[in-house]
Structures are given as structure tokens and as C-alpha cells.
Amino acid sequence: AVHLVTNLSKDGKPLGSFGDGEVWFHHDGSFKQIPYAATVLYGLSVTSTGGETVFANMYMAYDRLRNDLKIKIEKLKGLNIYDYASTGRVSLNKDISGINQWIHPLVIRHPDTGRKALYVSPLITARVEGLPPVEGDAILEELFQFIKDEEIIFQHKWAAGDVVIMDNRCITHARKDFPAGETRMLRRTMVMGKKISN
């Protein structure tokens, strides 16, 4: 399926998904049993400033972890949950039974390259399974620090006609804010993946 990523609406109804504003780092489809292998984006209309897609290399994020932290998280799994109606993390203090979710390892092995990659994101990874919330949240917050590591980040400034393909198994991505009232429209399609493991 090909759908629109846009802030346009008609008769008060969105014409696509991920309308206005910033979108936190996430792996596309990590809340599914079989996450997407890749995402393809095609720029149709872009804003004068902002709206960049920011990519973080999760191979490099994993390689930068301390050895003791690598050992600590090697067998741990995280609950990945996403609510299309929300722009932030899902609160676990409410009924989440009807929301898209799946449990995946915090560290995965890429099925094609065999390399290990960190598989967590501030938008979708809500908790570490089997740990007390305080301990699990502390681990996630430490892992989320990859966002601040400029050495593993690339920002793509969109122009109409650009095509971007990202491998969701070793890259996480975010969107920067952009001016309200300016049209932003991309076409997006997904590449089917395989079951992931560590």
C-alpha cells in the first residue's frame, strides 16, 4: 500500500498520517509481530524550512554502549506500542489492550548483515519486560541517549522529488518541526520484513 504523510486535510479530516509538528525517534512497524524491513519515502511537497527527517544509525548506537550495559540488555525485551491517535508515548496507566503492540528484543541481529543493532525508540518502546518500572525506565533512558550523539545522526533536508529508503532494522528516524500552515506531503510505502531476533 502507498499512503500519504501529510498535514493536509479535507472537510476537517486528515488526508494522510503524521500531520503537523515534530515526530520523535521510532522504528516503523516495531509495534508489529513482523516489523517492516524498510520504508520508502517520496517527496511531493516540502516546507520552506524544517521538516527534516533525522536518521540515527543503530549499529553505531549499539557499538557505543559500555560492555557492561551490552551484557545487561542482551536478553532483555521491550514492549513496543503505538497509538495512531497520539503524538507521544502511550501511557501504560490506561487500558492498552486495543492498541497496536508487540514485544521485541532491545538488541536485534540484522537478518541480512548479522550485525547487532539497538532496537529501542522514545516514541514506541514503552517498558522493559520483566523488570520493575523504575529499573526498566532507567535502562531505556540511558539507551535513548543515542539521540544526542551527533556522530551517528544524519539529517535529510527534503526537496520535492527526493526518494529516501531506510532500513528499519538498523536505523531509527524522527521528524523535525516545520512552519504551521505550509504544506508537507510525502508518499510512503513499506517493505515487508522477517521475524527479528537477537
Side-chain angles (χ1 to χ4, degrees), residues 24 79-84 86-96 99-101 122-127:
W24 297 354
L79 173 66
N80 295 277
I81 182 168
Y82 182 64
D83 183 357
Y84 287 99
S86 174
T87 57
R89 288 175 74 179
V90 170
S91 170
L92 299 182
N93 295 321
K94 64 179 184 178
D95 179 13
I96 61 171
I99 303 176
N100 301 293
Q101 58 184 283
L123 181 61
I124 295 178
T125 309
R127 71 176 177 226

Side-chain angles (χ1 to χ4, degrees), residues 103-173:
I103 294 169
H104 292 296
L106 300 185
V107 177
I108 65 170
R109 190 175 294 277
H110 194 290
D112 298 323
T113 67
R115 290 184 63 184
K116 289 183 177 181
L118 196 58
Y119 198 67
V120 299
S121 67
L123 181 61
I124 295 178
T125 309
R127 71 176 177 226
V128 178
E129 295 297 292
L131 293 183
V134 172
E135 183 180 354
D137 289 350
I139 289 174
L140 288 178
E141 287 305 316
E142 186 169 3
L143 297 179
F144 292 160
Q145 293 306 306
F146 68 81
I147 297 173
K148 300 176 182 178
D149 189 344
E150 294 293 333
E151 293 184 2
I152 71 168
I153 284 176
F154 168 75
Q155 293 191 42
H156 180 72
K157 173 62 178 172
W158 284 92
D162 284 355
V163 175
V164 170
I165 303 173
M166 71 188 92
D167 188 330
N168 285 301
R169 300 158 299 181
C170 58
I171 288 176
T172 188
H173 64 287

